Amino acid sequence: MKNYHLHLRGFVGGYDFDSRHVQNVLDANKGKRVDVLIDSLGGSVATALTIASAFRNHGDVHVHFVGMNASAATIASMGAKEITMDGSAMYLVHKCSTEFFQWASLNADQLADQIKDLSQLKTDLEKIDANVASLYAKRCGKTQAELLELMKVGGWLNAEEAKSWGFIDEITDDAEDEAPVLTDAVASAMAAVGMPIPNVPVQASSQFQKFIAALTEFFKPSKKAEQAQANAEQANAEQAQAEPEPVNQPKQTITMKKFPFLAALLLMAEAAITLSDGKFAADESQLDTIEGALKEASENKTKLTAAEASIQAKDQEIATLKAQIEELNKQPGDSTTHPVNDGGGKNDSPMDAFIERMNAAQKLYDMV
């Protein structure tokens, strides 16, 4: 089994593919051959260019590719003296990209600023593509235009194709090199960033992945519901053809502004919520955040319902008191022949008792 000085795996720019660590190992082996194993789907172009330069400056770096290698991982190898590749490994070059997400309502001036910024971003990406294509072209003995066209296509190359293009010098068949295996998680991550999925075996799903798949299947609409939806879409399409859109009539675009509460929930979940093929994807912590918000909203609704019921009860009580007061106001005062007690004691006159009750009721009403 071959001993490698460096094992560069995972995200280029991450812990296992760090330019400072690479430089430290190269410095410790000045004047000696350094063997490097690479197995990575790419990452930071800046880190890759730094590593390629370090390899070139050292002068005696030998890179060996295994598994699936793409993007920045291939750029990093461009400074190596020799590049080999396992016979079952895969190789991908493509044009550079950057994350972009805009969720806002913009006026004409703001749109103009956005267009200006995007134009500059496009120019920067084209410069990076041209630089990377030059590195590839120098290695492959081809023109920059040829490499830019290959990068535009962005398809996976097997070992023979990678050698034919000139990216590698030799194809190996080392016993310790395992064939690349694609997992569900890796396939999802590749699809999320628009990277093509290679035609390699898919690793059996874990129990958790099987549970998620079963849960997804459970919540899928029934065949009857799917058929009803298909019929409705067909009817809408036929109606749209029968009633052509008026000339100069602006089209309406549904945006998240029409769903403010959903938008708020997604923002609460820090939408590393990703959008792929028109579908949102979220991790467990983000789902917990949304679940908590929905639970709080449900509890607040229950409290509001109870408060409304209490208010209605009070309103009914006030209405009853009002009716009693109005009834008392309609009744005539009773005549009496009983003498009035002038001694300052309690007055037992029916008329006075009536007035006392009415005043008490009025006070109660005023308090309410």
Side-chain angles (χ1 to χ4, degrees):
M1 185 174 181
K2 191 172 185 178
N3 293 320
Y4 294 96
H5 297 85
L6 283 167
H7 291 78
L8 302 180
R9 301 180 184 273
F11 183 81
V12 178
Y15 177 80
D16 293 327
F17 212 131
D18 179 64
S19 60
R20 288 174 296 184
H21 176 57
V22 169
Q23 188 63 60
N24 289 337
V25 173
L26 295 178
D27 290 342
N29 291 275
K30 288 183 178 180
K32 301 177 183 179
R33 169 175 169 144
V34 174
D35 289 297
V36 181
L37 180 72
I38 297 182
D39 181 5
S40 167
L41 287 173
S44 168
V45 174
T47 299
L49 291 172
T50 299
I51 292 176
S53 178
F55 285 172
R56 189 179 305 107
N57 292 334
H58 182 277
D60 195 11
V61 174
H62 296 250
V63 167
H64 181 56
F65 282 112
V66 297
M68 293 181 293
N69 295 273
S71 186
T74 66
I75 297 173
S77 71
M78 289 296 104
K81 180 179 180 180
E82 181 186 30
I83 303 175
T84 60
M85 182 173 172
D86 177 62
S88 61
M90 304 292 290
Y91 196 96
L92 170 67
V93 297
H94 63 85
K95 302 192 75 173
C96 299
S97 62
T98 186
E99 292 183 355
F100 175 78
F101 179 75
Q102 181 69 35
W103 189 355
S105 176
L106 306 179
N107 61 31
D109 295 334
Q110 292 167 330
L111 281 172
D113 292 338
Q114 187 72 44
I115 292 172
K116 181 179 178 181
D117 292 341
L118 289 176
S119 296
Q120 182 59 53
L121 181 60
K122 176 177 178 292
T123 299
D124 292 342
L125 288 176
E126 288 173 342
K127 289 181 179 179
I128 295 174
D129 286 335
N131 184 37
V132 172
S134 295
L135 288 175
Y136 287 149
K138 184 177 180 180
R139 181 88 197 185
C140 297
K142 299 183 182 298
T143 66
Q144 183 189 64
E146 288 176 306
L147 269 300
L148 279 173
E149 185 61 28
L150 177 64
M151 292 164 63
K152 181 178 180 181
V153 174
W156 284 94
L157 305 176
N158 58 31
E160 290 290 347
E161 291 168 329
K163 183 179 180 181
S164 175
W165 270 93
F167 290 112
I168 64 172
D169 302 305
E170 183 183 352
I171 300 174
T172 64
D173 189 21
D174 297 334
E176 67 268 22
D177 292 338
E178 298 181 358
V181 178
L182 188 65
T183 65
D184 291 341
V186 172
S188 297
M190 292 170 66
V193 297
M195 185 180 293
I197 308 299
N199 185 22
V200 298
V202 178
Q203 188 179 60
S205 300
S206 66
Q207 290 300 320
F208 177 75
Q209 290 169 331
K210 291 179 180 179
F211 168 74
I212 294 298
L215 194 63
T216 302
E217 186 67 24
F218 177 79
F219 282 106
K220 285 178 62 177
S222 64
K223 294 294 184 181
K224 184 177 181 180
E226 290 179 346
Q227 185 60 46
Q229 182 180 358
N231 293 339
E233 291 175 352
Q234 182 177 359
N236 290 336
E238 293 174 352
Q239 182 178 2
Q241 292 178 355
E243 300 176 4
E245 184 176 338
V247 179
N248 297 328
Q249 179 68 25
K251 296 181 178 180
Q252 290 187 345
T253 301
I254 297 177
T255 66
M256 291 306 292
K257 290 179 66 179
K258 289 185 175 290
F259 309 102
F261 298 106
L262 175 59
L265 286 178
L266 294 179
L267 286 175
M268 286 179 65
E270 291 293 334
I273 291 187
T274 57
L275 180 64
S276 175
D277 296 330
K279 299 178 180 178
F280 280 109
D283 60 32
E284 188 172 353
S285 63
Q286 293 165 342
L287 292 177
D288 286 341
T289 301
I290 295 177
E291 175 68 15
L294 293 175
K295 181 180 179 181
E296 182 179 358
S298 177
E299 291 173 349
N300 289 338
K301 181 179 179 181
T302 301
K303 293 177 182 178
L304 179 60
T305 301
E308 289 176 345
S310 178
I311 292 173
Q312 290 176 357
K314 292 292 184 183
D315 288 342
Q316 183 61 41
E317 184 178 346
I318 292 172
T320 301
L321 289 173
K322 284 183 177 180
Q324 290 176 354
I325 292 172
E326 290 176 358
E327 186 63 30
L328 289 173
N329 287 334
K330 292 178 182 179
Q331 295 178 5
D334 295 333
S335 60
T336 179
T337 57
H338 295 281
V340 176
N341 184 356
D342 293 327
K346 184 177 180 180
N347 193 338
D348 294 326
S349 168
M351 175 57 73
D352 291 339
F354 165 75
I355 293 174
E356 184 178 351
R357 290 196 304 272
M358 187 176 71
N359 289 337
Q362 184 65 48
K363 286 183 180 181
L364 180 59
Y365 174 75
D366 292 341
M367 290 175 63
V368 175

